[in-house]
Amino acid sequence: MLGNWKGYYRFDNERIQKVIGYNETEFEIVIDKFDGKEFFGKVNDDEKTGGMKDTGEIIGRLENNEVYFKKLMPRNCSIALNGERVYSEKKHPTLYYSGLLSDDGKKIEGKWKFKRQLGFIFYIIPIIYNPGNGTWRMELK
């Protein structure tokens, strides 16, 4: 698990993916701590392919060949209908990644998601919604 990984993610919702303006968003992850089960590292999205600014953290675990990690970004980023990124100083919602490690230990692919969130219509009507989910893949470089 240790090392530099390069990969991409994409939304399952084609409408959202089209607003982003790219078929997939590239990222790089550097895993610098791994004890055989838990791992920690840094993540950077590629802004040129629709990714978020700033360096985030990942916290994960490996169970047999199953990989799970949280992607924690320091600032909230939302996407306007014109594809523009809008940042606020609020913390970005946690992203949850899961996937399968290849037999050679050099590729991982799987699914990512946000947890459902509570929002309000007209500030009074509560609704539960899913901000997004999709697929991802990365390879050890």
Side-chain angles (χ1 to χ4, degrees), residues 11 14-25 48-50 79-85:
F11 283 81
E14 291 297 326
R15 201 170 109 225
I16 295 172
Q17 195 64 51
K18 191 172 184 175
V19 167
I20 290 173
Y22 302 91
N23 287 331
E24 52 198 36
T25 299
K48 294 177 184 156
T49 58
I79 304 164
L81 292 176
N82 65 0
E84 184 179 333
R85 304 304 180 271

Side-chain angles (χ1 to χ4, degrees), residues 1-3 5 29-41 58-64 66-70 101 108:
M1 292 296 297
L2 287 171
W5 296 79
I29 289 177
V30 177
I31 297 175
D32 55 6
K33 293 179 185 163
F34 178 55
D35 66 6
K37 184 174 182 175
E38 295 181 344
F39 59 89
F40 303 88
I58 63 162
I59 300 169
R61 70 184 192 283
L62 175 65
E63 295 177 5
N64 299 317
E66 296 177 18
V67 176
Y68 305 93
F69 65 89
K70 296 178 190 178
L101 180 65
I108 307 171

Side-chain angles (χ1 to χ4, degrees), residues 26-126:
E26 296 176 7
F27 64 82
E28 290 189 29
I29 289 177
V30 177
I31 297 175
D32 55 6
K33 293 179 185 163
F34 178 55
D35 66 6
K37 184 174 182 175
E38 295 181 344
F39 59 89
F40 303 88
K42 302 287 184 194
V43 59
N44 285 291
D45 283 357
D46 179 4
E47 287 183 71
K48 294 177 184 156
T49 58
M52 294 180 275
K53 294 179 184 179
D54 304 319
T55 298
E57 295 181 351
I58 63 162
I59 300 169
R61 70 184 192 283
L62 175 65
E63 295 177 5
N64 299 317
N65 68 333
E66 296 177 18
V67 176
Y68 305 93
F69 65 89
K70 296 178 190 178
K71 179 179 176 182
L72 308 165
M73 298 302 286
R75 291 192 300 161
N76 189 42
C77 176
S78 57
I79 304 164
L81 292 176
N82 65 0
E84 184 179 333
R85 304 304 180 271
V86 179
Y87 290 89
S88 73
E89 293 308 312
K90 288 177 23 184
K91 197 172 182 185
H92 193 279
T94 301
L95 291 141
Y96 296 87
Y97 284 70
S98 63
L100 293 175
L101 180 65
S102 63
D103 290 340
D104 65 4
K106 295 182 179 181
K107 295 178 191 157
I108 307 171
E109 60 184 300
K111 296 192 173 286
W112 65 268
K113 68 179 181 177
F114 288 101
K115 283 193 175 176
R116 291 186 198 153
Q117 296 188 10
L118 177 65
F120 292 90
I121 299 174
F122 305 118
Y123 301 100
I124 56 171
I125 303 169

